Amino acid sequence: MKKIFYISVLFLFATPASVFAAQERFVRVKADAEVMAPPDRVTITVGLQHKTDNLKEGAKVLQQNIAKALAYCRAQHIKDKNIQTQNVSINPSYYAADGKRTDKPSYTLAQSFSVTLEDLSQYETVLYGLLDNGINQVQDVRFYSSKLKDFRNEARTLAMQNAQQKAQLLAKEAHAKLGKVMTITEEQTAGFYGASNISQNSYINTASGIPAAGVIPVRAEITVQYALN
């Protein structure tokens, strides 16, 4: 009598460990910081506007007054590289002061230039001096810091510290332990904070009636993702 043996074969299918592993845990936080930078530079943009019925004579007057103002700047030991002049603009008008149209035009000639001062103690002296030397328009006054990069890095450092403190608090409340940094993203901040080293936060000095320097806010904002253990 033949004996029949039955052999049972068990096939085991390997299952990826990731299916059974716990889902990776993390915490993502946003943090920001702001530092105040004292300005050490100022750019003054001024101009001269002259109205005339004689284009040739008007251009001569404009040129003479601009030359007088520029000579004053150089007498104040302002470097040529810190003086930027703009083109002359000429706008004809065929209307008189009473609004009636005329056959012969009148002209408005204008030219502007900017002066950057590396010594803020010169600010009021130069501004008043320009007004006494042919200039009849103050178009813009902007204060800024030449050390903006250092202040921005300081803001980034503080923002990172704030992010870590926030993440540690959240991890503690979740009964977890804060792990390594997974990602860091720096957000783009609006206005001066990320785009420019020019500040418009000047204020009016009530004693002199002209804009005076104020502090410049430099801001950093980041998003950091930490692993949770």
Side-chain angles (χ1 to χ4, degrees):
M1 181 177 181
K2 294 182 179 179
K3 293 183 180 181
I4 300 175
F5 296 92
Y6 295 92
I7 301 174
S8 177
V9 180
L10 177 63
F11 293 93
L12 297 177
F13 296 91
T15 302
S18 59
V19 174
F20 300 105
Q23 186 176 7
E24 188 174 23
R25 299 187 302 167
F26 63 87
V27 59
R28 183 185 295 118
V29 295
K30 284 188 176 183
D32 56 45
E34 185 175 274
V35 297
M36 296 299 176
D40 59 5
R41 300 287 188 274
V42 60
T43 297
I44 307 170
T45 303
V46 295
L48 174 64
Q49 189 177 85
H50 180 68
K51 293 184 179 181
T52 182
D53 293 328
N54 187 311
L55 184 57
K56 184 177 180 180
E57 290 298 321
K60 183 178 179 180
V61 172
L62 184 75
Q63 184 179 17
Q64 289 175 342
N65 281 281
I66 288 293
K68 181 180 179 181
L70 292 175
Y72 169 78
C73 290
R74 295 186 175 96
Q76 298 301 310
H77 307 290
I78 299 172
K79 301 173 184 177
D80 286 344
K81 70 174 184 177
N82 290 338
I83 302 174
Q84 300 292 327
T85 58
Q86 305 296 323
N87 293 330
V88 176
S89 65
I90 303 174
N91 294 309
S93 175
Y94 286 86
Y95 291 90
D98 58 4
K100 294 182 179 180
R101 185 175 176 83
T102 61
D103 294 330
K104 186 179 179 180
S106 61
Y107 301 91
T108 299
L109 292 81
Q111 186 172 14
S112 62
F113 66 89
S114 63
V115 177
T116 298
L117 303 178
E118 299 179 1
D119 181 0
L120 288 186
S121 67
Q122 292 182 287
Y123 170 53
E124 290 192 20
T125 299
V126 170
L127 184 57
Y128 283 130
L130 287 169
L131 293 172
D132 289 336
N133 284 274
I135 293 302
N136 57 21
Q137 291 182 330
V138 178
Q139 298 175 354
D140 194 19
V141 176
R142 298 195 180 197
F143 298 92
Y144 65 99
S145 172
S146 62
K147 300 178 181 178
L148 180 66
K149 182 179 179 180
D150 295 335
F151 288 108
R152 187 173 291 151
N153 287 339
E154 181 181 348
R156 289 181 177 126
T157 298
L158 292 174
M160 191 65 193
Q161 292 173 358
N162 292 340
Q164 186 172 9
Q165 291 174 3
K166 183 186 290 187
Q168 286 176 336
L169 176 62
L170 294 174
K172 180 180 177 181
E173 293 301 319
H175 304 290
K177 186 176 180 181
L178 195 65
K180 65 180 181 180
V181 174
M182 299 171 67
T183 61
I184 302 175
T185 304
E186 183 174 18
E187 308 296 336
Q188 290 294 325
T189 51
F192 164 76
Y193 298 136
S196 175
N197 64 344
I198 299 294
S199 171
Q200 299 182 17
N201 74 320
S202 60
Y203 61 85
I204 299 298
N205 184 322
T206 55
S208 63
I210 62 176
V215 293
I216 303 169
V218 182
R219 182 181 176 85
E221 184 176 332
I222 60 174
T223 300
V224 186
Q225 183 169 305
Y226 296 86
L228 287 179
N229 298 328

